[in-house]
Amino acid sequence: MTEHRYPSADIAAIERVIRERRDIRQFAPGALPEGLLGRLIDAAHLAPSVGYMQPWRFVRIASSATREALWGIVDAERRATAAALPTRAADFLKLKIDGIREAAEVLVVALMPGREAHIFGRRTLPEMDLASTACAIQNMWLLARAEGVGLGWVSFFDPDEVARLLAMPPGSRPVAILCLGPVAEFPPVPVLESQGWGKRLPLDEVLFEDRWKAGAGGTPTAY
Amino acid sequence: MTEHRYPSADIAAIERVIRERRDIRQFAPGALPEGLLGRLIDAAHLAPSVGYMQPWRFVRIASSATREALWGIVDAERRATAAALPTRAADFLKLKIDGIREAAEVLVVALMPGREAHIFGRRTLPEMDLASTACAIQNMWLLARAEGVGLGWVSFFDPDEVARLLAMPPGSRPVAILCLGPVAEFPPVPVLESQGWGKRLPLDEVLFEDRWKAGAGGTPTAY
């Protein structure tokens, strides 16, 4: 217990939103509450970043033609993924994996160009730019949930095609298509769990002491 | 405004913690509050993950010998980074870049082995495993801040050396050394900002509409 500790009710709210956040693919009609998109971007932009590089860039999809083209790129990858799964392709094709056509807002999140000049904290781990960007998205995700707004991170796409569609400069890389909007419900457990695509691992499979636990391997796939 | 919205005071707490979270390198003596480490791991383990793969693994550093060996790996990379900076090596060497020796707890976070089998959501974007793991760390980071506990994500290390030290299996990859513990203060602005290593970018350099903004490039380096 320190002087820097927040009130217990505030901590409870933070633990609640961490627990109740969901990756949303089913959206309800309607717009985002007034001003929320800006607050979500602000929350993202307050994320930590390696060497303070702030590698994240956000493209808000405004035109329906661009949105439809994005959806086409995602749908092609959805089919390619189904074809690549060793089993359960038919099950997979029944899943709704994006809300690009229905969500109130769609954002493409990309890593900026010119990242190779930033070696502070990433000389040996260049992928820290993506890590920072994921922290930014997690900030948005939590705030959106608290506001009662769903967010889904779609990673079914060919990054080169998305880059071309949005006239992204060489060296940049799209890493997320975010769908945001009102939802009918936040499922009590992740949809991939209720649909049999995975289970929360027991803690002793993810937490070790002083060295890797002998024999501990990767999470099994469900396909 | 939806039925799923949290009370305004809870939303304010979440926005506050997003704003006040800091990347901490200066720790004060003392242990973590009883039970907090477990709650932080739980918060991480509730993060979203691509295809529900839960790629994160946590190694709690218990022995002082392992902690000291980790510090040595980080210190070597600190010197290598200084040597690689085009300018400001001397400034850089004055920065405190880790709290491995002083922090109450040190965790190494790694990506699990066997990730190549997980193609759900990462056939074209295999790096989504790291993105999920970064979301997990951001959950911990926010909860730690609300509890008045500092967290620093150290990425100055040779991943092969850390993997060797912790007897990590082939195919796994360490991506973070987290230092956690009581602090004297949470700086009002990021240390890298007050020390002249960067400035928060204006929003119009990170947010574009419908396509990349013509001429928008990467964040400039300060070295």
Side-chain angles (χ1 to χ4, degrees), chain A residues 6 20 45 52-53 58 60 62 118 121 124 127 138-139 146 155 157 173 193 200 206 208 210 212 219, chain B residues 6 20 45 52-53 58 60 62 118 121 124 127 138-139 146 155 157 173 193 200-201 206 208 210 219:
Chain A
Y6 288 12
E20 294 185 346
H45 197 37
Y52 213 31
M53 74 186 282
F58 301 89
R60 175 174 178 252
H118 290 258
T124 56
E127 69 267 40
Q138 182 68 357
N139 274 0
S155 58
F157 57 85
R173 180 173 172 88
E193 184 158 333
R200 190 71 60 187
V206 301
F208 314 139
D210 229 27
W212 202 269
T219 309
Chain B
Y6 287 13
E20 295 184 346
H45 197 36
Y52 212 31
M53 74 186 281
F58 301 89
R60 176 175 177 252
H118 290 256
T124 56
E127 68 266 39
Q138 183 69 357
N139 274 1
S155 58
F157 58 84
R173 181 173 172 88
E193 183 157 334
R200 191 71 60 188
L201 295 174
V206 300
F208 314 139
D210 229 28
T219 309

Side-chain angles (χ1 to χ4, degrees), chain A residues 120, chain B residues 78 90-97 191-192 195 197:
Chain A
F120 190 121
Chain B
R78 184 178 73 88
D91 271 3
F92 174 78
L93 287 169
K94 282 181 217 146
L95 283 174
K96 182 159 171 53
I97 56 110
V191 168
L192 292 187
Q195 303 275 321
W197 290 89

Side-chain angles (χ1 to χ4, degrees), chain A residues 11 16-17 48 52 63 79 81 90 96-97 105 108-109 111 116 143 157 159 170 179 183 199 206 209 211 221:
Chain A
I11 295 175
R16 178 185 172 198
V17 78
Y52 213 31
S63 85
R79 291 166 195 278
T81 296
K96 182 159 169 53
I97 56 109
E105 292 283 348
V108 172
V109 188
L111 304 179
E116 59 289 347
L143 179 57
F157 57 85
C179 300
V183 298
K199 275 186 215 156
V206 301
E209 184 119 333
R211 51 186 289 151
T221 64

Side-chain angles (χ1 to χ4, degrees), chain A residues 1-2 4-6 10-11 13-21 33 39 41-43 45-48 50-54 56-63 66 77 80-81 84-85 92 95 110 112-113 117-121 123-125 127-128 130-131 134-135 138-139 141-143 145-148 153 155-157 159 166-169 172-175 183-186 190 192-193 197-201 203 205-212 217-221 223, chain B residues 1-2 4-6 10-11 13-21 33 39 41-43 45-48 50-54 56-63 66 77 80-81 84-85 92 95 110 112-113 117-121 123-125 127-128 130-131 134-135 138-139 141-143 145-148 153 155-157 159 166-169 173-175 183-186 190 192-193 197-201 203 205-212 217-221 223:
Chain A
M1 177 82 150
T2 81
H4 302 295
R5 188 175 186 268
Y6 288 12
D10 289 357
I11 295 175
I14 291 160
E15 290 194 280
R16 178 185 172 198
V17 78
I18 285 172
R19 195 171 58 241
E20 294 185 346
R21 180 213 50 77
R39 285 170 52 222
I41 299 281
D42 286 345
H45 197 37
L46 286 166
V50 61
Y52 213 31
M53 74 186 282
Q54 304 163 79
W56 44 70
R57 300 292 183 268
F58 301 89
V59 184
R60 175 174 178 252
I61 304 305
S63 85
T66 306
E77 178 51 30
T81 296
L85 288 174
F92 174 78
L95 283 174
M112 71 188 198
H118 290 258
I119 57 171
F120 190 121
R123 203 188 67 93
T124 56
L125 291 162
E127 69 267 40
M128 288 299 106
L130 172 66
C135 289
Q138 182 68 357
N139 274 0
W141 219 330
L142 294 170
L143 179 57
R145 174 62 192 91
E147 286 282 355
W153 180 334
S155 58
F156 291 93
F157 57 85
L166 303 183
M168 292 174 51
S172 59
R173 180 173 172 88
V175 296
V183 298
E185 65 152 358
F186 288 92
L192 292 187
E193 184 158 333
W197 291 88
K199 275 186 215 156
R200 190 71 60 187
L201 294 174
L203 265 186
E205 291 183 28
V206 301
L207 177 61
F208 314 139
E209 184 119 333
D210 229 27
R211 51 186 289 151
W212 202 269
T219 309
T221 64
Y223 46 83
Chain B
M1 177 81 150
T2 80
H4 302 295
R5 188 176 186 268
Y6 287 13
D10 290 357
I11 295 174
I14 291 160
E15 290 194 282
R16 178 185 172 197
V17 79
I18 285 171
R19 194 171 59 241
E20 295 184 346
R21 180 212 50 78
R39 285 170 52 222
I41 299 281
D42 286 345
H45 197 36
L46 287 167
V50 60
Y52 212 31
M53 74 186 281
Q54 304 163 76
W56 44 71
R57 299 293 183 268
F58 301 89
V59 183
R60 176 175 177 252
I61 304 304
S63 85
T66 306
E77 178 52 30
T81 296
L85 288 173
F92 174 78
L95 283 174
M112 71 188 197
H118 290 256
I119 57 172
F120 189 121
R123 202 187 68 92
T124 56
L125 291 162
E127 68 266 39
M128 287 300 106
L130 171 66
C135 289
Q138 183 69 357
N139 274 1
W141 219 330
L142 295 170
L143 179 57
R145 173 63 191 92
E147 286 283 354
W153 179 336
S155 58
F156 291 94
F157 58 84
L166 303 185
M168 292 173 51
R173 181 173 172 88
V175 296
V183 298
E185 65 151 358
F186 289 92
L192 292 187
E193 183 157 334
W197 290 89
K199 277 186 213 155
R200 191 71 60 188
L201 295 174
L203 265 186
E205 291 184 29
V206 300
L207 177 60
F208 314 139
E209 185 118 331
D210 229 28
R211 51 187 290 151
W212 203 268
T219 309
T221 65
Y223 46 83

